[in-house]
Amino acid sequence: MGFDAYLVEVEVDVGSARMQDFNVVGLPDNAGRKAASGSKARCETAGSSFLMVRA
Amino acid sequence: MTINLAPADVRKEGSGFDLPMALGLVGCQGHFFGKQLDKMMFLGSCRWMEACVRCAGRCRQRWRRGVWVEGAGGAEANAKEAAVVEGVDVYAVKSLPQAVDLVNSPESFTPVKVDARQMLSEAAQYSVDLRDVHGQQAASAPWKWLAPAGTTFLFIGPPGAGKTMLAKRIPTILPPMSLEEAIETTRIHKRPLGAGRQVGDW
């Protein structure tokens, strides 16, 4: 009865590629693809400690 | 940089992945100090979330732990909606650093609590009344006793005939909903109608 949500696991891998390149896999819609670049921007605007550099 | 959304065979829709992706990126920078994130559920976006209740219900089934809701201008409202589901700790965060602090020290945050039964009783106060209806006996008389029994109705008529006016007064004669019934109804109410999707497709 009713509608249920399904669980989605988000896995992030910072490989050897350039930090500017995003590859979102797993059948995302447009909002999901845009969320990746938006997340990077959010990290960078959250403070200097979240700047996207390799750990 | 690769972001994988699993399971791969399910179409992912909506804006609820903003916060999980951002936290994944932050985690790659080592800000979580080895904390295990697979025991937690994250939900959030920069926009209003439409399915907090559904996601909180799923969280309760799996972890009974926490749903953390973020939304610009809507974090508190989203969290209150999700907190209706009992057995889940819901936290409202308004920024990414706050979400990181929540992961690292959840004991310093207070979960959002709502009195769902009080909300339900308040929602049962209606500004309209069936006694306002005069005439329209052909339409109003049958469902006065059939609506409480769960009969489905379809109103057909020209504009201005009073279909909406009558429909707004149907809930006033229905028995009060239980909490579980209210959650089920909210799930349907919050279900977005996508392009080309008809009500009958639900």
Side-chain angles (χ1 to χ4, degrees):
Chain A
M1 182 65 186
F3 301 94
D4 206 352
Y6 54 84
L7 178 67
V8 175
E9 295 184 5
V10 179
E11 301 167 335
V12 180
D13 176 54
V14 182
S16 59
R18 291 183 300 165
M19 302 298 288
Q20 291 80 10
D21 294 336
F22 280 93
N23 185 24
V24 185
V25 297
L27 286 180
D29 62 354
N30 284 334
R33 290 191 197 93
K34 290 176 181 174
S37 56
S39 299
K40 178 174 180 289
R42 180 180 295 189
C43 290
E44 293 176 348
T45 57
S48 59
S49 62
F50 296 114
L51 285 177
M52 298 306 298
V53 294
R54 290 294 302 272
Chain B
M1 192 178 305
T2 302
I3 298 177
N4 179 37
L5 307 177
D9 59 340
V10 177
R11 181 80 177 166
K12 320 300 185 306
E13 296 178 346
S15 55
F17 304 109
D18 293 17
L19 178 62
M21 287 182 183
L23 286 174
L25 294 175
V26 170
C28 290
Q29 305 301 309
H31 286 283
F32 294 146
F33 308 107
K35 290 268 192 321
Q36 293 294 318
L37 301 187
D38 57 348
K39 301 295 183 188
M40 308 168 186
M41 176 175 173
F42 301 95
L43 170 70
S45 72
C46 301
R47 296 168 288 275
W48 175 258
M49 295 297 299
E50 288 286 350
C52 291
V53 171
R54 280 183 282 162
C55 296
R58 170 62 74 183
C59 180
R60 181 179 65 173
Q61 292 171 5
R62 175 133 180 179
W63 296 299
R64 298 184 179 275
R65 184 61 190 270
V67 177
W68 299 337
V69 179
E70 179 191 29
E76 290 293 334
N78 281 158
K80 285 181 179 177
E81 183 178 318
V84 170
V85 178
E86 295 175 340
V88 179
D89 290 335
V90 178
Y91 299 88
V93 295
K94 296 179 179 176
S95 65
L96 184 60
Q98 203 175 11
V100 174
D101 292 341
L102 183 57
V103 171
N104 289 323
S105 57
E107 62 278 358
S108 60
F109 287 81
T110 304
V112 176
K113 296 292 183 188
V114 296
D115 189 344
R117 303 190 189 286
Q118 182 183 354
M119 290 173 60
L120 210 57
S121 63
E122 291 174 357
Q125 307 299 321
Y126 299 100
S127 59
V128 295
D129 197 319
L130 183 61
R131 288 174 293 189
D132 300 337
V133 180
H134 296 281
Q136 299 283 17
Q137 290 299 314
S140 63
W143 55 261
K144 284 180 182 176
W145 59 84
L146 290 177
T151 305
T152 304
F153 291 91
L154 173 66
F155 289 113
I156 299 175
K163 303 182 294 296
T164 304
M165 184 267 293
L166 287 172
K168 283 182 177 178
R169 283 156 177 81
I170 288 180
T172 65
I173 62 170
L174 295 178
M177 284 191 290
S178 67
L179 184 58
E180 291 297 324
E181 289 171 340
I183 291 175
E184 289 288 342
T185 307
T186 304
R187 286 174 174 173
I188 298 172
H189 179 69
K190 291 289 183 180
R191 171 95 171 170
L193 273 176
R197 183 179 294 162
Q198 303 295 321
V199 174
D201 296 338
W202 291 5

